[in-house]
Amino acid sequence: MIANARMYSVSAQASDAWRTLLMTVAQRAGVALDYVEHDAPAPIRELWERDDCACVLMCGYPFATAPVRYRLLAAPVPDLPRYGGLPRYFSEFIVRADASCTSLAQTFGTRLACMLPESNSGYNAPRRYLMEFGLVDGALYLPTDQPTPTPHDVIDAVIAGRAEVGVVDSYVLDLLRLHAPERMAELRTLAVTHGAPIPPLVASPGIDEGIAERLRVALLRAHRDPDCADAFATLRLSRFAAVVPGDYDRLVRWANEADRAGIALTASHPVAHTFDRLL
């Protein structure tokens, strides 16, 4: 059985902290786990499709729409004030720090770096957010020349000028603000979406429920374990919280609402008339 935290292993420090934290949790639970690497460009879905995942971070939208039911363990709670002590996160629309735009509407019609449709933070949450601008049947942005399937790809595209704006998970950005401040100094945030349930730690459907429960209990107690303290500080986490499958249903609703409205994030011919109304 394996553990993995690729979704939030966004720096060398974060990666080491996740390994230490999850392997300590496994030890406390009395469960033998191997911490495996599954780095980009390997598709992250290939990780989730393994049948031996015992403690793996998974995006909430694929979790909620999976044809099989993964076993929920717990969800991380970032310790920054904007998270309100809850297992949630946001999506941030980012631009270069030297960009002339001062509002999100001023970026409409430019190139947007986004992730795959299976991503909540990098696709569906921002798509739902754009509905608030009155968008129906179309897109407000042009696509990038090359796909940007990971948060680092999105950030790279914006910094390099291959996209004027990008969308990235706020917790990813907060970790980078801590561990890569020079890189983050090249960016600024124009808009932030509504909060969403943060990606949880899950086990594959075939993992024994007794094993899942031992890991669940150990995760919920980890913030009181002195051997986990340094990892929690490195990851800007306060604790792990209990979650239930229904917590992630809103992500499906958001995607369905955007689907019914005919909204895409990018298109080769964005709806130009909307720009005139919004600018």
Side-chain angles (χ1 to χ4, degrees), residues 10-264:
V10 298
S11 69
Q13 302 98 314
S15 181
D16 290 346
W18 277 114
R19 178 189 289 269
T20 297
L21 180 54
L22 295 187
M23 295 310 290
T24 302
V25 164
Q27 183 181 48
R28 299 294 187 264
V31 177
L33 297 184
D34 293 319
Y35 194 95
V36 302
E37 304 296 341
H38 188 87
D39 297 333
I44 196 167
R45 181 167 283 281
E46 291 180 0
L47 170 68
W48 300 331
E49 289 175 348
R50 292 181 56 150
D51 61 7
D52 60 347
C53 295
C55 194
V56 171
L57 280 170
M58 184 176 190
C59 180
Y61 182 68
F63 166 79
T65 57
V68 294
R69 179 59 74 187
Y70 288 77
R71 298 192 187 280
L72 267 180
L73 302 181
V77 179
D79 69 2
L80 294 165
R82 65 168 166 166
Y83 298 99
L86 298 173
R88 65 177 178 177
Y89 73 127
F90 312 89
S91 295
E92 297 186 34
F93 287 82
I94 57 171
V95 296
R96 282 172 55 115
D98 60 3
S100 60
C101 52
T102 58
S103 70
L104 186 62
Q106 290 174 329
T107 69
F108 296 161
T110 64
R111 296 167 297 176
L112 174 73
C114 61
M115 293 172 61
L116 301 174
E118 68 182 5
S119 170
N120 182 65
S121 63
Y123 192 87
N124 279 306
R127 192 168 61 123
R128 175 64 178 77
Y129 180 76
L130 291 173
M131 290 179 66
E132 299 182 13
F133 289 84
L135 175 62
V136 176
D137 291 329
L140 291 174
Y141 292 100
L142 293 163
T144 53
D145 290 338
Q146 298 294 327
T148 52
T150 72
H152 279 299
D153 291 332
V154 171
I155 292 168
D156 287 344
V158 173
I159 291 176
R162 298 191 302 272
E164 284 68 41
V165 62
V167 281
V168 181
D169 177 321
S170 65
Y171 180 47
V172 166
L173 293 174
D174 284 331
L175 287 173
L176 291 174
R177 287 171 181 130
L178 176 63
H179 300 299
E182 301 86 358
R183 180 171 168 80
M184 292 306 297
E186 299 185 65
L187 301 169
R188 60 186 170 88
T189 297
L190 278 183
V192 180
T193 67
H194 300 295
I198 200 166
L201 285 158
V202 304
S204 301
I207 297 296
D208 181 79
E209 175 56 27
I211 290 174
E213 178 61 18
R214 299 210 309 267
L215 288 166
R216 189 178 295 121
V217 170
L219 284 165
L220 297 177
R221 293 175 175 172
H223 63 287
R224 297 194 294 268
D225 188 330
D227 289 340
C228 295
D230 287 346
F232 271 92
T234 299
L235 296 170
R236 296 305 307 264
L237 291 180
S238 62
R239 63 188 176 95
F240 290 101
V243 286
V244 298
D247 293 336
Y248 294 86
D249 289 347
R250 83 174 82 165
L251 307 184
V252 181
R253 291 197 301 272
W254 286 355
N256 290 342
E257 288 170 2
D259 286 343
R260 287 193 296 270
I263 295 175

